[in-house]
Amino acid sequence: MNLELSEEQEAVRRLAEDFVAREVTPHAVAWDRAEEVGRGIVKKLGAVGFLGLTIPEEYGGSGGDHLAYCLVTEELGRGDSSVRGIVSVSLGLVAKTIASWGTEEQKREWLPRLASGEALGCFGLTEPGTGSDAGNLATRAVRDGDAYVVDGSKMFITNGTWADVVLLFARTNDTPGHKGVSAFLVPTDTPGLTRRPVHGKLGLRGQATAELVLEGVRVPAGAMLGPEGKGFAVAMSALAKGRMSVAAGCVGIAQAALDAAVRYAGEREQFGKPIASYQLVQELLSDIAVDVDAARLLTWRVADLIDRGQDFATAASKAKLYASEAAVRAANNALQVFGGYGYIDEYPVGKLVRDARVMTLYEGTSQIQKLIIGRALTGVSAF
Ligand SMILES: Cc1cc2nc3c(=O)[nH]c(=O)nc-3n(C[C@H](O)[C@H](O)[C@H](O)COP(=O)(O)OP(=O)(O)OC[C@H]3O[C@@H](n4cnc5c(N)ncnc54)[C@H](O)[C@@H]3O)c2cc1C
């Protein structure tokens, strides 16, 4: 694995850094307070090419590699995790999954619009009663002529109130567990689909999170993504790659925590000297720095494996597990460096603590990642 960025990758990284400095960082505190990222950001993310970064050029994307994708998600995560999540879900979980599993017609219908930001995607797996145990989901899709009729509900759906299409997982037969699940591409303006915003989140406050309620939603049979009964495989393939972009976003959080803490430690004086001169403060900074490097290397390894066509699922779980726990630790250590000023939202680290916390919960909790890694080590599945 070559750790030196190519000219193209460095150019993408710089583009993302400039974009974040111009379009994200100046607004992040206001968006967090208002509980809404400015919606115009979606068009801007599309125009700069980030929503189609790894989509093939023939479908309107840039055909970029996965390391470039990591660089962009890291920079976005460094600026505002609410913005990073828009890309990770619409590109990483939805568009990429259509590119992998879709028919030619589905790719032509959705990919150019998703890549340009004209349309936004969301990923509807979690339900009120099933989170970690997603294979036991209860939403049903019953065949009726040339369509399916869907009833059920989905919980905590990122981009949910904004999205134009939901990659929806529903039970199409009575086989228990994940074998009865199929995937569908459902436009969110389909009659019978309602969206309720989820408010009061600890972090990611700017993100449009929603509960989706489906009552008699008619979906054409041609909207099924992948074979009937293979929906869980579709979901797991999406999440394996998704974990890489969450991990990269976590590297961004940890890097932002490090940058802020080093700067503040050099400026703040106590006992007549900058607090950076005290060894116990340096310990906090060095703990963050090691977490940044380790999380980034684990994440880049996943990108390298994907780009070389190798098996990457366990490596993605390791990266997501480590990087998410590292982001929580790093943000918390940075807050300690800031003292009382870290506890008010004029300074950036309190938001980093709140935004980092969900990373150990979604796209598979830390416990679920450990079970996936344990299964790979022992051959014995806990699920
Ligand atoms: C802000 C936010 C955005 C989200 N976005 C999306 C989205 O876009 N799409 C989507 O589909 N979902 C989304 N989710 C849902 C997220 O993926 C779930 O919250 C997550 O999978 C955990 O499910 P749960 O909350 O039901 O917790 P539960 O599954 O009830 O878990 C509760 C606790 O039990 C532990 N646990 C569960 N099973 C086991 C086990 N077998 N062994 C050991 N411990 C176990 C868990 O690790 C956790 O600590 C989002 C959630 C949040 C908070």
Side-chain angles (χ1 to χ4, degrees):
M1 179 181 169
N2 184 1
L3 293 178
E4 206 171 315
L5 298 183
S6 69
E7 269 181 36
E8 273 178 11
Q9 288 162 341
E10 181 53 31
V12 171
R13 195 200 62 73
R14 260 202 316 273
L15 180 69
E17 190 180 33
D18 291 348
F19 180 88
V20 168
R22 221 179 36 250
E23 303 289 356
V24 178
T25 312
H27 311 291
V29 169
W31 286 339
D32 186 59
R33 287 177 180 161
E35 285 198 33
E36 184 171 319
V37 163
R39 197 164 177 165
I41 197 75
V42 175
K43 284 265 153 58
K44 290 176 183 172
L45 287 165
V48 75
F50 295 162
L51 286 168
L53 198 66
T54 53
I55 298 302
E57 289 175 15
E58 59 177 311
Y59 299 110
S62 326
D65 61 29
H66 286 80
L67 187 51
Y69 180 38
C70 282
L71 298 170
V72 169
T73 41
E74 177 182 332
E75 290 300 332
L76 293 174
R78 197 171 169 185
D80 188 348
S81 293
S82 289
V83 176
R84 193 275 304 163
I86 294 172
V87 176
S88 289
V89 171
S90 192
L91 166 60
L93 294 185
V94 181
K96 282 290 290 173
T97 311
I98 297 173
S100 300
W101 291 84
T103 61
E104 191 55 29
E105 199 181 337
Q106 288 168 334
K107 291 183 200 177
R108 298 257 165 239
E109 180 180 2
W110 288 111
L111 292 183
R113 294 173 60 205
L114 289 167
S116 68
E118 183 194 331
L120 195 67
C122 68
F123 185 81
L125 180 64
T126 303
E127 300 186 352
T130 52
S132 301
D133 189 14
N136 267 321
L137 57 82
T139 295
R140 294 194 74 87
V142 178
R143 184 85 195 216
D144 180 23
D146 59 357
Y148 286 85
V149 179
V150 186
D151 286 278
S153 63
K154 297 288 168 181
M155 191 58 185
F156 296 131
I157 306 305
T158 302
N159 293 345
T161 47
W162 288 3
D164 302 280
V165 60
V166 51
L167 173 49
L168 184 86
F169 299 89
R171 188 164 294 288
T172 46
N173 68 57
D174 288 329
T175 314
H178 63 81
K179 288 190 179 137
V181 174
S182 299
F184 297 89
L185 291 166
V186 185
T188 51
D189 59 1
T190 309
L193 196 165
T194 42
R195 304 183 268 181
R196 298 177 185 149
V198 174
H199 288 299
K201 294 192 302 270
L202 178 68
L204 300 186
R205 288 191 183 158
Q207 212 164 69
T209 312
E211 180 180 4
L212 311 185
V213 179
L214 300 110
E215 293 166 309
V217 175
R218 259 190 108 74
V219 181
M224 186 179 282
L225 185 71
E228 207 261 323
K230 289 283 178 207
F232 197 67
V234 173
M236 291 305 111
S237 76
L239 289 174
K241 280 189 186 157
R243 285 171 187 144
M244 181 195 73
S245 80
V246 173
C250 289
V251 177
I253 293 175
Q255 182 70 58
L258 181 63
D259 296 343
V262 168
R263 203 177 318 115
Y264 187 79
E267 290 164 2
R268 177 73 172 169
E269 290 193 3
Q270 289 294 286
F271 303 99
K273 283 196 272 181
I275 59 170
S277 62
Y278 299 119
Q279 289 174 342
L280 293 178
V281 173
Q282 290 190 8
E283 181 186 45
L284 290 168
L285 299 177
S286 74
D287 284 353
I288 305 173
V290 173
D291 267 339
V292 170
D293 282 359
R296 185 180 285 127
L297 287 171
L298 281 170
T299 306
W300 283 17
R301 180 177 65 160
V302 183
D304 181 62
L305 289 170
I306 297 176
D307 287 334
R308 287 190 296 110
Q310 306 286 309
D311 189 8
F312 63 90
T314 311
S317 282
K318 289 178 184 169
K320 197 270 180 182
L321 171 64
Y322 188 86
S324 60
E325 298 285 348
V328 172
R329 269 195 308 271
N332 205 35
N333 281 335
L335 195 147
Q336 195 67 20
V337 172
F338 271 73
Y341 293 97
Y343 204 66
I344 54 176
D345 76 354
E346 270 170 52
Y347 292 84
V349 290
K351 178 175 181 299
L352 293 175
V353 170
R354 289 187 287 104
D355 286 350
R357 194 59 191 84
V358 76
M359 306 297 165
T360 71
L361 300 174
Y362 69 11
E363 300 209 19
T365 64
S366 290
Q367 286 72 29
I368 295 301
Q369 305 310 329
K370 287 177 186 175
L371 294 180
I372 294 171
I373 297 163
R375 181 178 59 192
L377 290 171
T378 63
V380 181
S381 177
F383 303 115

